[in-house]
Amino acid sequence: MKNFLLILSFASITLCSCKNNAEGEAATGNGQGQEVAYKSYGEDFKLNQSLTAAEMEERFQNMKPGDTAEVTLKATVNSVCKNKGCWMTLDLPEDNEDVMVKFKDYGFFVPKDIEQKDVVVRGKAYVTEVSVDEQRHYAEDKGETAEAVAAITEPKRTLSFLADGVLIEE
């Protein structure tokens, strides 16, 4: 009977380790037998396998505007909206361009201080062409100078991601 209660206690602790809300906590292995703690934003998801930034970069090279791919991606945050945390950019190793990440239905935000942190995003990767006005808006959100904002004069091909869930390494 003691063994049964011990097993039942362990099972209930294990099952309750993840919260199912807009901001929860999760833990998962890092592939080397170590637990990595994550804070969850948006929809919760299990971290089974994810693409590396280099693998995603290769996929983006083969995409054109209008193409989409459902993926889970692990990468490092380069910048985040300083007003609300309503977007972030992720680093790609070889490309001079970052991946612009927005959040599904504007339904959640991420912390504004997560530059250089590793994150895992799940959702839809796609390529778009971004207007001058939108590029200027993002530059202002990043705190760019008026001169830098005014220097944006042409639409550009942008690597984009619509995330329905984000895990941020703690």
Side-chain angles (χ1 to χ4, degrees):
M1 184 66 166
K2 284 184 186 178
N3 288 341
F4 176 74
L5 291 176
L6 183 61
I7 292 170
L8 184 61
S9 295
F10 179 74
S12 66
I13 290 169
T14 303
L15 291 173
C16 295
S17 67
C18 294
K19 296 178 184 176
N20 189 15
N21 59 19
E23 189 175 312
E25 295 179 17
T28 188
N30 66 357
Q32 299 171 347
Q34 299 172 354
E35 286 291 314
V36 177
Y38 290 93
K39 186 143 194 160
S40 176
Y41 297 84
E43 293 179 19
D44 284 340
F45 62 96
K46 286 189 177 213
L47 181 54
N48 295 327
Q49 287 189 331
S50 59
L51 296 175
T52 65
E55 291 167 328
M56 189 69 237
E57 183 174 46
E58 188 176 318
R59 283 206 182 175
F60 271 128
Q61 289 173 356
N62 296 316
M63 294 173 77
K64 59 186 180 305
D67 290 347
T68 63
E70 293 287 334
V71 298
T72 301
L73 164 65
K74 183 173 184 179
T76 303
V77 176
N78 272 347
S79 62
V80 64
C81 174
K82 296 300 182 196
N83 291 329
K84 294 184 197 179
C86 60
W87 58 262
M88 65 183 167
T89 63
L90 302 179
D91 184 49
L92 293 180
E94 299 296 324
D95 205 328
N96 291 331
E97 186 177 357
D98 292 342
V99 178
M100 170 58 84
V101 180
K102 295 182 185 177
F103 309 113
K104 185 178 178 184
D105 299 328
Y106 208 62
F108 63 96
F109 304 118
V110 295
K112 298 179 271 186
D113 62 349
I114 59 171
E115 282 94 353
Q116 303 311 309
K117 285 197 174 189
D118 287 332
V119 298
V120 180
V121 294
R122 183 190 70 182
K124 186 182 296 187
Y126 59 100
V127 176
T128 60
E129 190 167 281
V130 179
S131 71
V132 170
D133 288 341
E134 192 172 354
Q135 288 179 70
R136 287 180 174 176
H137 173 82
Y138 296 139
E140 289 169 354
D141 280 353
K142 280 201 267 190
E144 296 285 345
T145 65
E147 294 81 23
V149 172
I152 300 169
T153 60
E154 294 181 20
K156 79 174 198 178
R157 180 180 184 268
T158 301
L159 309 179
S160 302
F161 199 98
L162 183 62
D164 57 33
V166 177
L167 299 176
I168 300 173
E169 250 184 61
E170 295 188 314

